[in-house]
Structure formats: structure tokens, C-alpha cells
Amino acid sequence: MKNVDFDSRTQDPMNGLRNKAIALPRSIKRISVLGLDALFCVLSVYLTISLRFEEFQSLSPLVLTTMAISVGIALPIFITHGLYRAIFRYSGGIATWTIIRAVFIYGVVFFSAILSLPNLVSIYIPRSVGLSQPLLLFILIGASRAFANYWLGDAYRQLLSRKRTAFTRVLIYGAGSAGRQLAQDIRSKSNLKVVGFIDSDEHRRGVVGSQIDGIEIHSLENLRQLIIALRAEEIWLAIPSVSKSRRREIINSLLGFNVAIRTLPTIDELASGQVSISDVRQLDIDDLLNREVVPPHPLLLSSGIHGKAVLITGASGSIGSELARQALAELPATLILLERNEYGLYFLHQELLSKKLALGDAGSAINIIPILGSITDRQILLELFKTYSIDIVYHAAAYKHVPLVEQNMKEGIRNNVFGTLALVQLAAKYKVPRFILVSTDKAVRPTNIMGASKRLCEMILQAFAQAQTQKQTQTKTIFSMVRFGNVLGSSGSVVPLFRKQIMDGGPLTVTHPKVTRYFMSVTEAAQLVIQAGAMAQGGDVYLLDMGKPVKIVDLAKRMVELSGLQLKSTDKPYGDIEIIFTGLRPGEKLYEELLIGDNPKSSSHPRIFKAHDDFLPWQDLEEQLGLLHNLLDQGDIVAIRQLLHTLVSGYIPDQKIVDWSYEYSGESGGG
């Protein structure tokens, strides 16, 4: 007996018609709607001309020319303004506004064309048609979209719901033990289906007889055709034992196939030899970076931390929290976490307590102390240095978001500069052996307050280091600073932003098509900070080798491709996600630099270099800092920027002041 769908026997004939319409390929649906809008252009022109002359018109040269002009102007405008990206998916205010905007632009262009037409040909089109036809066209298009949403919308949303609950077709890359374990685990999941294995090992394919539990193993040849034939939606990399460089090669080879790529952690990161679906995750940020990571030097990591009292400021931030994790692994005696964000500090403390338990007996003696407070609160800092015999300070606390600091100039300087000054003074007073400042490439020839304030922090450490050397004190603090670029995955980083925008369906926002940045992973950055601090002799400015700068737009494109989506462009107008350029924000550069001078020196680590930048002696700098403090109290934004311009080499402030208090005061001329 033939299988009969119960729903098909009970539904009315219109439901079948709806389902057939929805099941049409996306390209056919878009072409159909495009044709319908062209018909609306023709119909609205005919009706408005007929109304103008108060009788139905024949298809005269006047009517045909006007129709051709309408269609020729309307369709390109409607395509570029997104009227055909989603036919049934969106409705309501967003869709209405899109139609209003597109038809308005069309109306302006259409009316302008009618005004200029008599100068080009002998045909005169009444001007009233240029005004009334766009209005009628808007009514026709709006009504058609409303009808489509009414007639097809519910059915389409039900189809989407069914698709979300349907299984995802997975192709597993790697037919080894990890791949086999994944396939077995997937069998118990109703929303996943393994459609095949792919493997580059010819011996493995031959030994298993080209199948594992009935699932065929394929070679990498003709991968595109294989993906199409199997209708694979995702590729899971089940190759935890391969090197990161080899994994990046594989990932690069899978770009452009319009499938999402997920991966297992490395063999070192897996908790045990067993593999399950819960281990599968999005690609590592290191994979996005396409950069080889140099393994840390174990002695440099442990020498400054093991058995010592370590203070980390800005502890729950991206760098601070990773420094805390790395420091805990090296078994300090005391780990002090200073943070003003209560929420962040709580979760970091809980995480570290869990990691401490996992260390067993080795971790039982470690004292983890969360301190809720700010580096600008001198009383808290004083109590900290009095209470604990601190051996090393990792100073990561800073306001770092360029546009926000530009709009909150005084608070940015108070926190970054004078918070650092208080820490440095107390570290010297209480003879802390080592002090490491986490700096930024934005301190080099800065164009913004954040960068200028961080360069001033560097100058404070350099001046203190020189002053201690001149005094020839037997016990002195070794001050050093580590300067590097953007950290992938940090708060405010483009990677989390792009991931969210991709999940939301786009668009991806990039400030400028030429903007480039240096990047490294947060783990590598923290390890290099610790190693540089261990090498320091006093007053050193360390540069971390960031590799080649990355174009942000290239990173955005890579993330779209690795998500299994297609980038929307002029060549691919029906792509899934587009990139839009929003313009550089106040204080932003197109390109970042790591060196002020041109004399970097190598160190004992292949990724760490030393620079020797000019700075003011402490006697002169102290006087200028006093003046800066007074200007902050007075709130004189113009004078503050001028003083920073004098103090910080290469600082060229943005022409426009965007500080909120300056705008509020009316000095900007706006109120």
C-alpha cells in the first residue's frame, strides 16, 4: 500500500499551492517577484497616464517610453536596496521602511528623468505622472508584500520551524578513532546525521574497506561535487592530533565550499581520550588568525611566578583574566586579583577556585584573593601593598576602547595615567621586585586619548626606572612594559562582534576597507607578557612580534566563509551576508604601529624584541603630570589635549573634540 500523508488528505487545495510556491528555488522566487514588480511599473504607468488624459490609452510611444523608463530605473534601485533578499521571511516595520525608502529614491530619480526627457527626445510626459506614478507603484508593491505575508507567511514560518528541528547533515573530516567516536555519538542524536567521512590517508580508506559502520569514506578529490551530492551542511574536523599548522592548511582548503566548519580541540586540550559531540566547537581564534604560535619557554613562564605573591590589576579583563589563568598554572603562593567589575571578578574567582581544585595537592597551598576596587583608589592600593609582600605586579587595568575614551577624556586619563602612577609609586616604595605594564600599539604616534595615555604610562615607568638607577639603590623595582596589538576574542574585539552579526544574519560592519590591525590570541599574548617580564632588566619596552597586520575586511570575509555562508557582493547579489563600511571613528587610525623608533633589538625569545624610546626624566615628568592633574580638575579639555601633544611624541589629536563634557559645556559651539 502506498504511503499517504494524512495532512495532504485533509488540507484544502490552497495549502498545496502555498507549499509549492514556498518550495520553489530561491532564485526562481526572486526572479518571479522581480517580474511582478516590473509588471507593477508597467501597470502603474499605464493607469496614471490614462487618469491624466481621462481615458484608457493605446500603447503609444509616449506610454511605452514611460514604461521603459520606469522599469529601467525601478529594478536596479529595488535590487540594491534589498527588496529581494527575503521574500516571505521579514514583514512589518522593517519591510515597510525598506519599501518606502526604495520607492522614494525611485520617485526622485523617475521625476528627474521626466523633467529632462523633453531635452533629449521629442516626447513630452506630463509632470503629474512623475508624481502620481511612484505613489501608485508604492501602493501596488506594498499590497503585494502584505498579501504574500498573509497568504504564505504562516506556512513559511512553519517550514522554518520544521527545518530547525530537522537533522543537520554532517561530513566528518578524519576517519580515525576520534572520527569514529563522533559518528557513534551522533547516532543517538535525532538532529544530526553523518553522511560520510573524508580522509587523506589512502591506507586507512583501504584497511576499513571504504566504510565505517556503513558510512562511506571518501577521498579529498572532487570535494565540491561530494559536498553537493551528499548535501552536507557542516564539516567537522575530527583530527585532534595534527599540528596547528596542518589544521590551518586543511581549514584553508575547505574555504569556499559553502559549509560551516567545526572542530575538535587538540589532543592536549581534550580531557580524556574519549570524544563526544559536546567537544565539537567553533573554530579556534588561532585558526582564524592563520598565524604560527611559538611555544612558550617553560623557565621564563615559571621563574617569576612560582611560589611568589602576584598582583594582577584589571583581573577580569581579557588580558588580566588570561594572565591569572597562566599565573595559577605556575603555582604562585598568592594570587591577588584587583578588579572594579564585581560581576567579572566573581566569575573569574569561581573559575580559578575550580582550576585550583583540579591542581590537587599542588594547588591546595595557593591563596587566591579577590579585591574589589579601582587603581584610582589610592587607599585600597596602599592597604594592598602594606598587607601583602607582593613580588610581581602585572598591570593590565586600563580603559582601552578608543571611541569611549575619546568621549570620556578626563576619566580615561585619570584611570590610565594616574592609576598607573599610584601603582608605580607604591611598588617602588614597598620594593616590589618586578612590575610589568601591559601596553598597546596605539601608544605609538597616537591619534587618540587612549593611545596617548598609554604612552604616558610607559614614560612613567621609564622615568622611574632611570631614577632608581641614578640613585644606585641596592633594592629596586624592575619596571618593564610590553607593547602589543589587538587580542582576538577580547571584549570589544571584532571577532565576537562578527560572530554575533553572522548569527543575526548580518550585515558585518567594518570601519574602512583599508583598515588593518595586528592580532594575536589572548593565550599567546599573556604568555609573552609573563616571559617578557621575567627577562626584564629595568626600563625595558618590549614589543611582541605580532606577525603581519591583518586587513579587517579579510578577517570578516574569512569568518563568513567558515560559517558556511556566502558573502553578498556585486558579483553575488543573492549572497547571505554583506559587509558594510561605517567610516573611521573619532581617534581611529587606518594602520597601527609597534615601534616609535627604528631600532628594535632581539631578545632570548624569538617573538619578543626590545625598543629604546625617548622619555622625560622623572624630575621633568613629575612637574608636567602635576600640571595635567590640575587641568583635569579644571576640566579644561583643550588645554589637556595641548599638554598631551607636548608630552607625548607623535601625538596628533583628532581635529574634532567629542568629549561629552566639552559638548555639554557649549565650548564646541553646539549649545
Side-chain angles (χ1 to χ4, degrees):
M1 181 178 176
K2 186 182 292 187
N3 290 330
V4 178
D5 184 356
F6 177 78
D7 290 337
S8 66
R9 290 180 290 139
T10 57
Q11 64 186 357
D12 63 77
M14 292 301 291
N15 280 343
L17 188 58
R18 288 190 190 100
N19 293 335
K20 286 180 181 179
I22 291 174
L24 288 171
R26 183 184 296 182
S27 58
I28 299 297
K29 285 187 282 193
R30 283 172 169 165
I31 291 171
S32 300
V33 178
L34 200 68
L36 183 64
D37 286 350
L39 179 62
F40 287 153
C41 289
V42 170
L43 180 61
S44 58
V45 165
Y46 182 78
L47 290 175
T48 50
I49 292 178
S50 296
L51 287 170
R52 170 64 178 80
F53 293 106
E54 298 183 352
E55 63 179 352
F56 288 109
Q57 300 293 300
S58 62
L59 296 180
S60 64
L62 166 66
V63 175
L64 293 174
T65 301
T66 310
M67 288 176 177
I69 292 171
S70 175
V71 173
I73 292 173
L75 295 190
I77 290 175
F78 293 172
I79 290 170
T80 55
H81 282 74
L83 262 67
Y84 309 112
R85 287 180 200 161
I87 308 304
F88 315 125
R89 190 178 307 175
Y90 303 119
S91 60
I94 295 175
T96 303
W97 172 245
T98 301
I99 295 170
I100 291 172
R101 183 176 56 184
V103 175
F104 175 78
I105 294 171
Y106 158 78
V108 172
V109 178
F110 180 68
F111 185 67
S112 301
I114 286 177
L115 291 179
S116 61
L117 189 65
N119 299 323
L120 303 175
V121 296
S122 58
I123 295 174
Y124 174 77
I125 301 173
R127 294 179 182 178
S128 61
V129 173
L131 296 173
S132 56
Q133 189 268 345
L135 181 60
L136 180 56
L137 180 62
F138 169 72
I139 293 171
L140 290 172
I141 291 175
S144 70
R145 299 306 192 269
F147 175 75
N149 186 58
Y150 169 76
W151 188 51
L152 299 170
D154 287 341
Y156 183 75
R157 282 183 280 274
Q158 289 172 13
L159 177 64
L160 278 182
S161 178
R162 288 197 298 270
K163 282 186 175 180
R164 290 191 187 103
T165 58
F167 54 74
T168 300
R169 301 174 69 85
V170 176
L171 193 57
I172 296 179
Y173 192 116
S177 61
R180 291 195 296 270
Q181 289 178 43
L182 267 184
Q184 290 169 4
D185 199 21
I186 286 174
R187 286 181 184 278
S188 63
K189 307 296 180 183
S190 59
N191 61 332
L192 296 168
K193 180 179 181 180
V194 178
V195 294
F197 289 96
I198 49 177
D199 203 298
S200 58
D201 189 336
E202 293 182 10
H203 298 291
R204 179 177 290 152
R205 294 201 303 274
V207 167
V208 297
S210 298
Q211 284 193 349
I212 296 176
D213 295 335
I215 303 171
E216 188 172 352
I217 307 175
H218 304 271
S219 71
L220 294 173
E221 297 176 4
N222 301 318
L223 185 55
R224 184 179 298 278
Q225 287 78 4
L226 177 65
I227 290 171
I228 293 171
L230 297 176
R231 291 182 289 130
E233 299 167 82
E234 296 185 1
I235 295 180
W236 290 9
L237 304 182
I239 43 175
S241 60
V242 300
S243 66
K244 287 196 172 183
S245 59
R246 173 58 184 152
R247 181 158 71 169
R248 275 194 293 272
E249 287 177 15
I250 293 170
I251 290 168
N252 288 333
S253 72
L254 297 175
L255 289 174
F257 289 120
N258 225 35
V259 290
I261 302 173
R262 300 183 182 276
T263 184
L264 284 171
T266 63
I267 200 72
D268 294 331
E269 294 173 307
L270 287 169
S272 66
Q274 295 299 311
V275 172
S276 69
I277 293 173
S278 61
D279 294 315
V280 178
R281 63 192 187 191
Q282 289 182 309
L283 288 174
D284 286 340
I285 290 172
D286 289 349
D287 297 320
L288 298 174
L289 195 57
N290 206 9
R291 177 176 183 271
E292 194 62 39
V293 176
V294 175
H297 194 296
L299 285 178
L300 287 177
L301 276 181
S302 62
S303 61
I305 294 177
H306 186 78
K308 305 289 179 61
V310 179
L311 168 64
I312 299 174
T313 71
S316 77
S318 306
I319 294 294
S321 60
E322 186 60 27
L323 282 170
R325 295 182 194 102
Q326 298 284 342
L328 182 67
E330 301 305 327
L331 306 179
T334 306
L335 185 57
I336 306 165
L337 312 169
L338 178 61
E339 175 57 62
R340 70 190 304 172
N341 181 340
E342 180 191 19
Y343 180 84
L345 182 61
Y346 169 78
F347 279 97
L348 176 64
H349 186 221
Q350 295 302 309
E351 177 191 342
L352 295 181
L353 288 176
S354 176
K355 289 182 180 294
K356 174 184 168 180
L357 287 174
L359 291 171
D361 293 340
S364 60
I366 301 174
N367 192 16
I368 303 175
I369 304 167
I371 304 293
L372 193 60
S374 168
I375 57 171
T376 58
D377 190 332
R378 194 178 182 89
Q379 185 60 37
I380 284 181
L381 298 182
L382 184 61
E383 291 173 4
L384 261 179
F385 282 94
K386 277 183 177 180
T387 305
Y388 302 101
S389 181
I390 297 171
D391 296 299
I392 185 167
V393 175
Y394 291 106
H395 177 32
Y399 289 140
K400 65 175 186 176
H401 296 285
V402 169
L404 276 178
V405 175
E406 207 70 14
Q407 292 174 307
N408 298 270
M409 191 181 301
K410 293 177 290 185
E411 185 58 28
I413 294 171
R414 279 197 186 95
N415 185 78
N416 293 1
V417 176
F418 291 100
T420 298
L421 177 60
L423 276 166
V424 166
Q425 289 173 330
L426 289 169
K429 179 180 178 180
Y430 287 92
K431 298 180 174 57
V432 173
R434 289 186 180 272
F435 187 110
I436 297 96
L437 167 71
V438 175
S439 191
T440 170
D441 57 356
K442 292 175 178 62
V444 178
R445 283 178 278 275
T447 57
N448 51 69
I449 292 295
M450 195 284 282
S453 69
K454 291 298 286 185
R455 176 58 192 142
L456 204 47
C457 293
E458 293 180 355
M459 291 169 64
I460 290 171
L461 268 73
Q462 289 173 299
F464 256 77
Q466 183 191 61
Q468 285 188 141
T469 302
Q470 290 172 347
K471 289 179 182 178
Q472 296 183 345
T473 54
Q474 289 185 346
T475 305
K476 64 179 182 179
T477 301
I478 297 175
F479 291 104
S480 61
M481 54 232 81
V482 183
R483 186 188 294 159
F484 53 91
N486 295 269
V487 173
L488 283 170
S490 64
S491 60
S493 166
V494 294
V495 171
L497 174 63
F498 286 166
R499 277 186 174 153
K500 183 180 185 303
Q501 289 175 337
I502 288 170
M503 288 179 63
D504 293 342
L508 270 62
T509 54
V510 178
T511 55
H512 193 281
K514 292 184 179 179
V515 70
T516 63
R517 292 292 182 264
Y518 289 100
F519 285 106
M520 68 168 46
S521 70
V522 66
T523 301
E524 186 181 8
Q527 289 175 345
L528 289 174
V529 166
I530 293 172
Q531 292 171 93
M535 293 189 297
Q537 301 298 312
D540 310 280
V541 179
Y542 286 103
L543 316 174
L544 303 188
D545 178 8
M546 304 292 295
K548 294 180 180 179
V550 177
K551 287 184 74 172
I552 301 299
V553 69
D554 290 344
L555 181 63
K557 291 175 181 176
R558 186 174 174 84
M559 290 188 66
V560 171
E561 289 177 337
L562 293 173
S563 299
L565 301 172
Q566 192 175 67
L567 193 68
K568 184 178 184 293
S569 64
T570 52
D571 298 333
K572 298 176 181 176
Y574 299 126
D576 301 294
I577 291 182
E578 67 177 325
I579 295 174
I580 62 173
F581 298 101
T582 57
L584 291 174
R585 297 170 295 182
E588 274 193 318
K589 288 182 178 180
L590 272 179
Y591 314 103
E592 298 291 2
E593 307 166 271
L594 285 168
L595 267 176
I596 295 175
D598 56 358
N599 59 338
K601 295 182 179 180
S602 60
S603 72
S604 59
H605 193 287
R607 283 282 169 87
I608 301 175
F609 299 87
K610 287 200 296 185
H612 294 281
D613 299 327
D614 294 332
F615 59 92
L616 290 176
W618 173 244
Q619 208 168 12
D620 298 333
L621 183 60
E622 185 179 26
E623 181 181 342
Q624 296 299 312
L625 289 173
L627 177 57
L628 179 60
H629 195 279
N630 291 336
L631 291 175
L632 286 174
D633 289 341
Q634 295 166 19
D636 192 337
I637 300 296
V638 175
I640 289 169
R641 293 212 319 171
Q642 184 57 44
L643 180 57
L644 287 178
H645 178 65
T646 304
L647 278 175
V648 178
S649 174
Y651 171 50
I652 303 175
D654 199 286
Q655 292 295 318
K656 184 181 180 183
I657 299 176
V658 295
D659 182 272
W660 74 269
S661 62
Y662 182 78
E663 296 281 343
Y664 175 76
S665 68
E667 294 179 61
S668 63

